[in-house]
Amino acid sequence: MVDGFLTAIDRTHLSRAVELAAEARDGGNHPFGAVLAGADGDVLAAARNSVGTTGDVSGHAETNLVRIATTRVDAALLPGSTLYTSCEPCAMCSGAIYWSGIGRVVFALSEADLYILTGDDARNPTLKLPCRTVFAAGSRPITVVGPVDVPGMRDVHKGFWH
């Protein structure tokens, strides 16, 4: 279910998020990546998952990106910014995105499709809670676009889980 308008810049940043996911995997982490771009499309920050190398279970790409964004990016820019992620944000990441003030999320692989790839792998104990549901519980709107088919978005997970 893709809601909202998708631009060529969106596709470029989403592809970069998938590349970051591959880099995370190559570095010994779970295969997830995220990019934050301002309203003008310029990249403000990027992050990879760091759970495998740090042992910090909150080290998802999106929460790592939110930490960078809320400490290094002018807060006034966040409502007009877009967070691009290789996979739909989990409930934890959705909460962090909500509290950060970021105004838009674009994701490649859906949480449901990720679960098909991971199954009951203990490294991905999914809550099966779509980010739209988490955001809808809040008092401010967040635009969500996704899932969006991006080359490599499934391949980065093959052989990693189980």
Side-chain angles (χ1 to χ4, degrees), residues 52-75:
T53 54
T54 66
D56 178 357
V57 297
S58 70
H60 293 194
E62 300 91 343
T63 53
N64 288 340
L65 187 65
V66 165
R67 284 184 196 102
I68 294 167
T70 57
T71 59
R72 299 183 196 162
V73 175
D74 181 349

Side-chain angles (χ1 to χ4, degrees), residues 94-108:
S94 296
I97 293 164
Y98 175 81
W99 288 108
S100 74
I102 292 168
R104 183 171 178 251
V105 172
V106 179
F107 66 87

